[in-house]
Amino acid sequence: MVVFGQYYGLKTDIIIVMQNAIINSLPFILSVVAVKIFQQLKLIRKEDKQAVASLTFNIVVPALIILLMGTIDLHFSDLKYTLMALLTWLVAGIAGLATSKLLKLSKKQEGTIVVGFLSFSIGVLVYPLVQLNYSNDVFLRVVLYDVIGHFFILMTLTYLVATMYGEKSNGSLVSNIKTVLLSPIVISMVVGVILSITKLSHPIFMETLNYMSSAFGMLAATLLALTLTMPRAKGLVTVGVSTVIKLLVGLASGIAVTKMFGVTGDTSAALLLATASPVSLTTIVFSEMVGLDTELISQFTAVSLIVGLIVLPIAMGIL
């Protein structure tokens, strides 16, 4: 367990951890600011967001998936992390649907909020926090939960939910499932699993994937900058309420699931950070590809990231 000292009624290490979290997020934040400046200078246009989303969805994310799943050492016992992620996903989905009904949102906005609830930005904030403050074994368990749990579900079930709500959907569940199964994302997952099982990956091939996937952060920052606008009063309420409920439900479901599967100690605390993490940047890509409310999901993502920078280090000190 992390040990904290005292500092003006707050815990010293919480402040240090919060500073580290902000420092780790600075490259992404500054990239968003830079793109906003370029947009004002008319060097990049809002209309370019479709091209950025398509490049991210069809090339960069599949490369990232193959790289992650092709290099991880999978064991049958690790499937518990998939089940844990699935349970928290179901709870988050119910909470997202209830929140959207409470706020009386349109179907398009409802789908956007639900998809936001169903995603977790574990890599952006949780990885650095866990890596800096817990053992390597704990960090590896969080990575397993993310890759074969949350990430797997995000790229399949969450994407399916997005297609069902999106304006570009034809309304047929069978057709939407077919769209998901034939998407570059799912195909890359199959390739990744095959590489993981057969150990056939070549160093040059994997290095090429690493080079391609490294563009994800910049492309996600670009898409966020191009779609992010200042919300009006009602939009601010929607995003604020959704952020708070998602955070609280994430913590509650994380506590329940870790107890259910007998996970204790530092691993339990680290996984609670994962279940309470902000909205994933990938949802902005989904939104643009399927026709959800891209501005709303960008606002939801931005606000939840800001709140996460403050709340997650404090939560880590308390857990």
Side-chain angles (χ1 to χ4, degrees), residues 112-127:
T112 303
I113 292 298
V114 170
V115 168
F117 266 77
L118 292 174
S119 71
F120 304 87
S121 187
I122 299 174
V124 174
L125 290 183
V126 179
Y127 277 16

Side-chain angles (χ1 to χ4, degrees), residues 4-15 18 314 317-318:
F4 297 92
Q6 299 295 321
Y7 180 79
Y8 292 116
L10 293 176
K11 295 179 177 179
T12 306
D13 282 5
I14 293 179
I15 298 174
M18 193 180 299
I314 296 174
I318 296 173

Side-chain angles (χ1 to χ4, degrees), residues 92-114 117 165 234 238 241-242 245 296:
I94 294 171
L97 185 60
T99 301
S100 63
K101 297 297 184 185
L102 175 68
L103 296 170
K104 299 180 180 179
L105 303 178
S106 66
K107 181 181 178 181
K108 183 177 179 180
Q109 292 174 324
E110 176 183 299
T112 303
I113 292 298
V114 170
F117 266 77
Y165 274 103
K234 183 178 179 181
T238 297
V241 171
S242 299
I245 294 177
L296 179 59

Side-chain angles (χ1 to χ4, degrees), residues 137-157:
D137 286 342
V138 172
F139 176 68
L140 290 177
R141 292 188 186 103
V142 172
V143 172
L144 278 172
Y145 173 86
D146 185 21
V147 176
I148 68 173
H150 161 257
F151 196 67
F152 177 80
I153 294 169
L154 173 68
M155 296 301 171
T156 52
L157 295 179

Side-chain angles (χ1 to χ4, degrees), residues 10-74:
L10 293 176
K11 295 179 177 179
T12 306
D13 282 5
I14 293 179
I15 298 174
I16 295 173
V17 169
M18 193 180 299
Q19 289 174 342
N20 288 332
I22 293 172
I23 290 171
N24 281 314
S25 303
L26 270 180
F28 179 81
I29 295 170
L30 293 176
S31 295
V32 173
V33 173
V35 174
K36 273 295 184 185
I37 294 174
F38 294 153
Q39 188 179 6
Q40 291 298 316
L41 296 174
K42 301 190 184 305
L43 297 175
I44 187 170
R45 302 172 302 165
K46 188 174 183 178
E47 292 74 18
D48 295 330
K49 63 181 182 177
Q50 181 62 44
V52 174
S54 181
L55 176 63
T56 307
F57 183 83
N58 293 310
I59 298 177
V60 176
V61 171
L64 179 61
I65 291 171
I66 296 175
L67 181 66
L68 288 174
M69 303 200 75
T71 54
I72 199 167
D73 191 15
L74 297 176

